[in-house]
Amino acid sequence: GIFASAPSQMWRWLSSRLAAMVFLEHALDAAALVRLSEDGRRGAAKSAALQSPLLQGWMNHVQNMQLHFTKDVTYKPPADKHYKFEVKWFEQKVDHINKQHSGRFWQRYFVYENFTETELDRTDYPLFVFCGAEQGDIYLEWQNFGFMLDVAREHGAKVLYLEHRFFGQSKPYGAEAFELSPDRVGLLSIEQSMADYVEIIKEYRGQGPVLTFGGSLSGTIAAMMRIQFPTLIDMAFASSAQVLGVVGVADQFAWRKRLTDNFAELGGADCPGLVRRGFNAFVWRNPAKLREAFGICEKDVPDAHWDMLLGMAWQELENLGNFPYPAHTSGIPLACTQMREVGPADDAKIFAKLLNLGPGGR
């Protein structure tokens, strides 16, 4: 999505060009799938979808995310597009919201100014800002985002890559960043990260427009920066951004409702009620009944183990509800039938049936 208030014809043209590129790529992929499906060649349609640059890029992002946390990215840009960023550090507030919290930490970010160096006194340069998020260590990622750099080169922009707090080397409290402590509550939030980025952007903003970039959570932050700080951010390019889940923008529980509706439509009107009974068995926990339902031998089961079983049930429900179509391939009807076998007083057995665990399960 693109949020823009273009200050000149050039920026109006740029926003329309970016939007057209995204729309055209989606349209071409969609049109190819429709034509193939109409011909009845489902195998070819599936192959075309898997070869889509959009899908391949998303799959690479998901599959390699954990790898990027631990290993160097092997991507090597072309010789004429090798961008050497300068590493910088910014002394940042630990808490921008609680003014009584006086803690500070050093936030890492990267700067590329070569596109503007030909005019040393220039102040009207555009500022392109990549909003780091769950990429982890941004040092391992920045060379993978060539699109933003290509546009920056074309328009003589200054480029910033910002590392998200609590990721990479930008850790409040250092090695103790993830200790379970009351003074950590509320520090890892979109509001705090946006406040971080505002402070850095103010240091580099010139007379030209400021654009934020990002994809996935980075895209959410990029878009919300434009929404929350419209006098600072002129445009946002947000790819696959979960904007509709942000409080105040849309119903944050819409996704759960869609899953619930899927179970009601495909598994029967009573199925969501069965699921709620399964959750109640863990909320109002009776260890003896749960041990019997899941066939657990140990007498004393730690709460963490019950939470793990509940998480497995959550995962199964999400998986079933997320891929319900075509209806004849959905696992929802069978799952609801299994849970329906439980008697009215045996709520503890509902999720055991869902997961095929316990006596008679796998």
Coordinates of all heavy atoms in Angstrom, one line a residue, residues 159-227:
V159 N 20.0 7.5 2.1 CA 19.3 6.3 2.5 C 19.7 5.9 4.0 O 20.9 6.0 4.3 CB 19.7 5.1 1.6 CG1 19.0 3.8 2.1 CG2 19.3 5.4 0.2
L160 N 18.7 5.6 4.8 CA 18.9 5.1 6.1 C 18.3 3.7 6.3 O 17.2 3.4 5.8 CB 18.2 6.0 7.2 CG 18.6 7.4 7.2 CD1 17.8 8.1 8.3 CD2 20.1 7.6 7.5
Y161 N 19.1 2.8 6.9 CA 18.5 1.5 7.3 C 18.6 1.4 8.8 O 19.7 1.6 9.4 CB 19.4 0.3 6.7 CG 19.0 -0.1 5.3 CD1 19.3 0.7 4.2 CD2 18.2 -1.2 5.2 CE1 18.9 0.3 3.0 CE2 17.8 -1.6 3.9 CZ 18.2 -0.8 2.8 OH 17.8 -1.2 1.5
L162 N 17.4 1.3 9.5 CA 17.3 1.4 10.9 C 17.1 0.0 11.5 O 16.2 -0.7 11.1 CB 16.1 2.3 11.3 CG 16.1 3.7 10.6 CD1 14.9 4.5 11.1 CD2 17.4 4.4 10.8
E163 N 17.9 -0.3 12.5 CA 17.7 -1.6 13.2 C 16.7 -1.5 14.3 O 16.8 -0.6 15.1 CB 19.1 -2.1 13.7 CG 19.1 -3.5 14.3 CD 20.5 -3.9 14.6 OE1 21.1 -3.4 15.6 OE2 20.9 -4.9 13.9
H164 N 15.8 -2.5 14.4 CA 14.7 -2.4 15.4 C 15.3 -2.7 16.8 O 16.2 -3.5 17.0 CB 13.7 -3.5 15.0 CG 12.4 -3.3 15.7 ND1 12.2 -3.6 17.1 CD2 11.2 -2.9 15.2 CE1 10.9 -3.4 17.4 NE2 10.3 -2.9 16.3
R165 N 14.8 -2.0 17.8 CA 15.2 -2.3 19.2 C 15.0 -3.7 19.6 O 14.0 -4.4 19.1 CB 14.4 -1.3 20.1 CG 12.9 -1.4 20.0 CD 12.2 -0.7 21.2 NE 12.6 0.6 21.4 CZ 12.6 1.3 22.6 NH1 12.1 0.6 23.6 NH2 13.0 2.5 22.7
F166 N 15.9 -4.2 20.4 CA 15.9 -5.6 20.9 C 16.3 -6.6 19.8 O 16.2 -7.8 20.0 CB 14.5 -6.0 21.5 CG 14.3 -5.4 22.8 CD1 13.5 -4.3 22.9 CD2 14.8 -5.9 24.0 CE1 13.2 -3.6 24.1 CE2 14.6 -5.3 25.2 CZ 13.7 -4.2 25.3
F167 N 16.8 -6.1 18.6 CA 17.3 -7.0 17.6 C 18.7 -6.6 17.2 O 19.1 -5.5 17.4 CB 16.4 -7.0 16.3 CG 15.1 -7.7 16.5 CD1 13.9 -7.0 16.9 CD2 14.9 -9.0 16.2 CE1 12.7 -7.6 17.0 CE2 13.7 -9.7 16.3 CZ 12.6 -9.0 16.7
G168 N 19.4 -7.6 16.6 CA 20.8 -7.3 16.2 C 21.6 -6.8 17.4 O 21.7 -7.5 18.5
Q169 N 22.2 -5.7 17.3 CA 23.0 -5.1 18.4 C 22.4 -3.9 19.1 O 23.0 -3.3 19.9 CB 24.4 -4.7 17.8 CG 25.2 -5.8 17.3 CD 26.6 -5.4 16.8 OE1 27.1 -4.3 17.2 NE2 27.3 -6.2 16.0
S170 N 21.1 -3.7 18.7 CA 20.4 -2.6 19.3 C 19.5 -3.1 20.5 O 18.3 -3.1 20.5 CB 19.5 -1.9 18.3 OG 20.2 -1.5 17.2
K171 N 20.2 -3.5 21.6 CA 19.5 -4.1 22.7 C 19.6 -3.2 23.9 O 20.7 -3.0 24.5 CB 20.2 -5.5 23.0 CG 19.9 -6.5 21.9 CD 20.4 -7.9 22.4 CE 20.0 -9.0 21.4 NZ 20.8 -8.9 20.2
P172 N 18.4 -2.7 24.4 CA 18.4 -2.1 25.7 C 18.8 -3.1 26.8 O 18.4 -4.3 26.7 CB 16.9 -1.6 25.8 CG 16.4 -1.5 24.4 CD 17.2 -2.6 23.7
Y173 N 19.5 -2.7 27.7 CA 20.0 -3.6 28.8 C 21.0 -4.6 28.4 O 21.4 -5.5 29.1 CB 18.8 -4.3 29.5 CG 17.7 -3.4 30.0 CD1 16.5 -3.3 29.4 CD2 18.0 -2.6 31.2 CE1 15.6 -2.4 29.8 CE2 17.0 -1.8 31.6 CZ 15.8 -1.7 31.0 OH 14.8 -0.8 31.4
G174 N 21.5 -4.5 27.1 CA 22.6 -5.4 26.7 C 22.2 -6.9 26.8 O 21.2 -7.4 26.3
A175 N 23.1 -7.7 27.4 CA 22.9 -9.1 27.6 C 21.7 -9.5 28.4 O 21.2 -10.6 28.4 CB 24.2 -9.7 28.2
E176 N 21.2 -8.5 29.2 CA 20.1 -8.8 30.1 C 18.8 -8.3 29.4 O 17.8 -8.1 30.1 CB 20.3 -8.1 31.4 CG 21.5 -8.5 32.1 CD 21.7 -7.8 33.4 OE1 21.0 -6.8 33.6 OE2 22.6 -8.1 34.2
A177 N 18.8 -8.0 28.1 CA 17.6 -7.4 27.4 C 16.4 -8.2 27.6 O 15.3 -7.7 27.6 CB 18.0 -7.3 25.9
F178 N 16.5 -9.6 27.6 CA 15.2 -10.4 27.6 C 14.9 -11.0 29.0 O 14.2 -12.0 29.1 CB 15.4 -11.5 26.5 CG 15.5 -10.9 25.2 CD1 16.7 -10.9 24.5 CD2 14.4 -10.4 24.5 CE1 16.9 -10.3 23.3 CE2 14.5 -9.8 23.3 CZ 15.8 -9.8 22.6
E179 N 15.5 -10.5 30.0 CA 15.1 -10.9 31.4 C 13.7 -10.6 31.7 O 13.1 -9.6 31.3 CB 16.0 -10.3 32.4 CG 17.4 -10.9 32.5 CD 18.2 -10.4 33.7 OE1 17.6 -9.6 34.5 OE2 19.3 -10.8 33.9
L180 N 13.0 -11.6 32.4 CA 11.6 -11.3 32.7 C 11.5 -10.4 33.9 O 11.8 -10.8 35.1 CB 10.9 -12.7 33.0 CG 10.9 -13.7 31.9 CD1 10.2 -15.0 32.3 CD2 10.2 -13.1 30.7
S181 N 11.2 -9.2 33.7 CA 11.3 -8.1 34.7 C 10.2 -7.1 34.4 O 9.9 -6.8 33.3 CB 12.6 -7.5 34.8 OG 12.6 -6.4 35.7
P182 N 9.5 -6.6 35.5 CA 8.4 -5.6 35.3 C 8.9 -4.4 34.5 O 8.0 -3.8 33.8 CB 8.0 -5.2 36.7 CG 8.4 -6.4 37.6 CD 9.7 -6.9 36.9
D183 N 10.1 -4.0 34.6 CA 10.6 -2.8 33.9 C 10.8 -3.0 32.4 O 11.2 -2.1 31.7 CB 11.8 -2.2 34.6 CG 13.0 -3.1 34.5 OD1 12.8 -4.3 34.0 OD2 14.1 -2.7 34.9
R184 N 10.6 -4.2 31.9 CA 10.7 -4.5 30.5 C 9.3 -4.4 29.8 O 9.2 -4.3 28.6 CB 11.2 -5.9 30.2 CG 12.5 -6.3 30.9 CD 13.7 -5.4 30.4 NE 15.0 -6.0 30.8 CZ 15.6 -5.8 31.9 NH1 15.2 -4.9 32.8 NH2 16.8 -6.4 32.1
V185 N 8.2 -4.4 30.6 CA 6.9 -4.4 30.0 C 6.6 -3.2 29.1 O 6.9 -2.0 29.6 CB 5.8 -4.5 31.1 CG1 4.4 -4.4 30.5 CG2 6.0 -5.8 31.8
G186 N 6.2 -3.4 27.9 CA 5.8 -2.2 27.0 C 7.0 -1.7 26.2 O 6.8 -0.7 25.5
L187 N 8.2 -2.2 26.4 CA 9.3 -1.7 25.7 C 9.5 -2.2 24.3 O 10.2 -1.5 23.4 CB 10.6 -1.9 26.5 CG 10.7 -1.3 27.9 CD1 12.0 -1.6 28.5 CD2 10.5 0.2 27.8
L188 N 8.9 -3.3 23.9 CA 9.0 -3.9 22.6 C 7.7 -3.8 21.9 O 6.8 -4.7 22.0 CB 9.5 -5.4 22.6 CG 9.7 -6.1 21.3 CD1 10.7 -5.3 20.4 CD2 10.1 -7.5 21.5
S189 N 7.4 -2.6 21.4 CA 6.1 -2.3 20.8 C 6.3 -1.5 19.5 O 7.3 -0.8 19.3 CB 5.2 -1.6 21.8 OG 5.7 -0.3 22.0
I190 N 5.3 -1.4 18.7 CA 5.3 -0.6 17.5 C 5.5 0.9 17.9 O 6.2 1.7 17.2 CB 4.1 -0.8 16.6 CG1 4.1 -2.2 15.9 CG2 3.9 0.3 15.6 CD1 3.0 -2.4 15.0
E191 N 4.8 1.3 18.9 CA 4.8 2.7 19.4 C 6.2 3.1 19.8 O 6.7 4.2 19.4 CB 3.9 2.9 20.6 CG 2.4 2.8 20.2 CD 1.9 1.4 20.1 OE1 2.6 0.5 20.4 OE2 0.8 1.3 19.5
Q192 N 6.9 2.2 20.5 CA 8.3 2.5 20.9 C 9.2 2.5 19.7 O 10.1 3.4 19.6 CB 8.8 1.5 21.9 CG 8.0 1.4 23.2 CD 8.4 2.5 24.2 OE1 9.1 3.5 23.9 NE2 7.9 2.5 25.4
S193 N 9.1 1.6 18.8 CA 10.0 1.5 17.6 C 9.8 2.7 16.7 O 10.7 3.3 16.2 CB 9.8 0.2 16.9 OG 8.5 0.1 16.3
M194 N 8.5 3.1 16.5 CA 8.2 4.3 15.7 C 8.9 5.6 16.3 O 9.4 6.4 15.6 CB 6.7 4.5 15.5 CG 6.1 3.5 14.6 SD 4.5 4.0 14.0 CE 3.6 4.1 15.5
A195 N 8.8 5.7 17.7 CA 9.4 6.8 18.4 C 10.9 6.8 18.2 O 11.5 7.9 18.0 CB 9.0 6.8 19.8
D196 N 11.5 5.6 18.2 CA 13.0 5.5 17.9 C 13.3 6.1 16.5 O 14.2 6.9 16.4 CB 13.4 4.0 17.9 CG 13.4 3.4 19.3 OD1 13.5 4.2 20.3 OD2 13.4 2.2 19.4
Y197 N 12.5 5.7 15.5 CA 12.8 6.0 14.2 C 12.6 7.5 13.9 O 13.3 8.2 13.1 CB 12.0 5.2 13.2 CG 12.3 3.7 13.2 CD1 11.4 2.8 12.7 CD2 13.5 3.3 13.8 CE1 11.8 1.4 12.7 CE2 13.8 1.9 13.9 CZ 12.9 1.0 13.3 OH 13.3 -0.3 13.4
V198 N 11.6 8.1 14.6 CA 11.3 9.5 14.4 C 12.5 10.3 14.9 O 12.9 11.3 14.2 CB 10.1 9.9 15.3 CG1 10.0 11.4 15.5 CG2 8.8 9.4 14.6
E199 N 13.1 9.9 16.0 CA 14.3 10.7 16.5 C 15.5 10.6 15.5 O 16.2 11.6 15.3 CB 14.7 10.1 17.9 CG 13.7 10.3 19.0 CD 13.3 11.7 19.2 OE1 14.3 12.6 19.3 OE2 12.2 12.0 19.4
I200 N 15.7 9.5 14.9 CA 16.8 9.4 14.0 C 16.5 10.1 12.7 O 17.4 10.8 12.1 CB 17.1 7.9 13.7 CG1 17.6 7.2 14.9 CG2 18.2 7.8 12.6 CD1 17.8 5.7 14.8
I201 N 15.3 10.0 12.2 CA 14.9 10.7 11.0 C 15.0 12.2 11.1 O 15.5 12.9 10.2 CB 13.4 10.3 10.6 CG1 13.4 8.9 10.1 CG2 12.9 11.3 9.5 CD1 12.0 8.3 9.9
K202 N 14.7 12.7 12.3 CA 14.8 14.2 12.5 C 16.3 14.7 12.3 O 16.5 15.8 11.9 CB 14.3 14.5 13.9 CG 12.8 14.5 14.1 CD 12.4 14.8 15.5 CE 10.9 14.8 15.7 NZ 10.5 15.1 17.1
E203 N 17.2 13.8 12.7 CA 18.6 14.1 12.5 C 19.1 14.2 11.1 O 20.1 14.9 10.8 CB 19.5 13.1 13.3 CG 19.3 13.1 14.8 CD 19.9 14.4 15.4 OE1 21.0 14.8 15.0 OE2 19.3 15.0 16.3
Y204 N 18.4 13.5 10.2 CA 18.9 13.4 8.8 C 17.9 14.1 7.8 O 18.3 14.2 6.6 CB 19.0 12.0 8.4 CG 20.3 11.4 9.0 CD1 20.2 10.8 10.3 CD2 21.5 11.4 8.4 CE1 21.4 10.2 10.9 CE2 22.6 10.8 8.9 CZ 22.6 10.3 10.2 OH 23.7 9.7 10.7
R205 N 16.8 14.5 8.2 CA 15.8 15.1 7.3 C 16.3 16.4 6.8 O 16.8 17.3 7.5 CB 14.5 15.4 8.0 CG 13.4 15.9 7.1 CD 12.2 16.3 8.0 NE 11.1 16.7 7.1 CZ 9.9 17.2 7.6 NH1 9.8 17.5 8.9 NH2 9.0 17.5 6.7
G206 N 16.2 16.6 5.4 CA 16.6 17.8 4.8 C 15.4 18.6 4.4 O 14.3 18.6 5.1
Q207 N 15.4 19.3 3.3 CA 14.3 20.0 2.8 C 13.4 19.2 1.8 O 12.3 19.6 1.5 CB 14.8 21.3 2.1 CG 15.6 22.2 2.9 CD 14.8 22.7 4.1 OE1 13.6 23.2 4.0 NE2 15.4 22.7 5.3
G208 N 13.9 18.0 1.5 CA 13.2 17.2 0.5 C 12.2 16.3 1.3 O 12.1 16.2 2.5
P209 N 11.4 15.5 0.5 CA 10.5 14.6 1.1 C 11.1 13.4 1.8 O 12.2 13.0 1.5 CB 9.6 14.1 -0.1 CG 10.6 14.2 -1.3 CD 11.4 15.4 -1.0
V210 N 10.4 12.8 2.8 CA 10.9 11.6 3.5 C 9.9 10.5 3.2 O 8.7 10.6 3.3 CB 10.8 11.9 5.0 CG1 11.3 10.7 5.8 CG2 11.7 13.1 5.4
L211 N 10.5 9.3 2.8 CA 9.8 8.1 2.4 C 10.2 7.0 3.3 O 11.4 6.8 3.5 CB 10.0 7.7 1.0 CG 9.3 8.5 -0.1 CD1 10.0 9.9 -0.3 CD2 9.3 7.7 -1.4
T212 N 9.3 6.3 3.9 CA 9.6 5.1 4.6 C 9.3 3.8 3.8 O 8.3 3.8 3.0 CB 8.8 5.0 5.9 OG1 7.4 5.2 5.7 CG2 9.3 6.0 6.9
F213 N 10.1 2.8 4.0 CA 9.9 1.5 3.2 C 9.9 0.4 4.2 O 10.5 0.4 5.3 CB 11.1 1.4 2.3 CG 11.2 2.3 1.1 CD1 11.6 3.6 1.2 CD2 10.8 1.8 -0.2 CE1 11.6 4.5 0.1 CE2 10.9 2.7 -1.3 CZ 11.2 4.0 -1.1
G214 N 9.3 -0.7 3.7 CA 9.3 -2.0 4.5 C 8.4 -3.0 4.0 O 7.5 -2.7 3.2
G215 N 8.6 -4.2 4.4 CA 7.7 -5.4 4.1 C 7.4 -6.2 5.3 O 8.2 -6.3 6.2
S216 N 6.2 -6.8 5.3 CA 5.7 -7.5 6.5 C 5.6 -6.6 7.7 O 5.1 -5.5 7.5 CB 6.7 -8.7 6.8 OG 6.1 -9.6 7.7
L217 N 6.2 -6.9 8.8 CA 6.1 -6.0 10.0 C 6.8 -4.7 9.7 O 6.4 -3.6 10.1 CB 6.7 -6.7 11.2 CG 6.8 -5.8 12.5 CD1 5.4 -5.3 12.9 CD2 7.4 -6.6 13.6
S218 N 7.9 -4.8 8.9 CA 8.6 -3.5 8.5 C 7.6 -2.6 7.7 O 7.6 -1.4 7.8 CB 9.8 -3.8 7.6 OG 10.8 -4.4 8.3
G219 N 6.8 -3.3 6.9 CA 5.8 -2.5 6.1 C 4.8 -1.9 7.0 O 4.3 -0.8 6.7
T220 N 4.3 -2.6 8.0 CA 3.4 -2.1 9.0 C 3.9 -0.8 9.6 O 3.3 0.2 9.7 CB 3.1 -3.1 10.1 OG1 2.5 -4.3 9.5 CG2 2.1 -2.6 11.1
I221 N 5.2 -0.9 10.1 CA 5.8 0.2 10.7 C 5.9 1.4 9.7 O 5.7 2.6 10.1 CB 7.2 -0.1 11.3 CG1 7.0 -1.2 12.4 CG2 7.9 1.1 11.9 CD1 8.3 -1.7 12.9
A222 N 6.3 1.1 8.5 CA 6.5 2.1 7.5 C 5.2 2.9 7.2 O 5.1 4.1 7.2 CB 7.0 1.5 6.2
A223 N 4.1 2.1 7.1 CA 2.8 2.7 6.9 C 2.3 3.5 8.1 O 1.7 4.6 8.0 CB 1.7 1.6 6.5
M224 N 2.5 2.9 9.3 CA 2.0 3.6 10.5 C 2.8 4.9 10.7 O 2.3 5.8 11.3 CB 2.1 2.7 11.7 CG 1.2 1.5 11.7 SD -0.6 1.9 11.4 CE -0.9 2.9 12.9
M225 N 4.1 4.9 10.3 CA 4.9 6.1 10.4 C 4.2 7.2 9.6 O 4.1 8.4 10.1 CB 6.3 5.9 9.9 CG 7.1 5.0 10.8 SD 7.8 5.9 12.3 CE 9.0 6.9 11.5
R226 N 3.7 6.9 8.4 CA 3.0 7.9 7.6 C 1.7 8.4 8.2 O 1.4 9.5 8.2 CB 2.8 7.3 6.2 CG 1.8 8.1 5.3 CD 2.3 9.5 5.0 NE 1.3 10.2 4.3 CZ 1.1 11.5 4.3 NH1 1.9 12.3 5.1 NH2 0.1 12.1 3.7
I227 N 1.0 7.4 8.8 CA -0.3 7.7 9.5 C -0.1 8.5 10.7 O -0.8 9.5 11.0 CB -1.1 6.4 9.8 CG1 -1.4 5.7 8.4 CG2 -2.3 6.7 10.6 CD1 -2.1 4.3 8.6

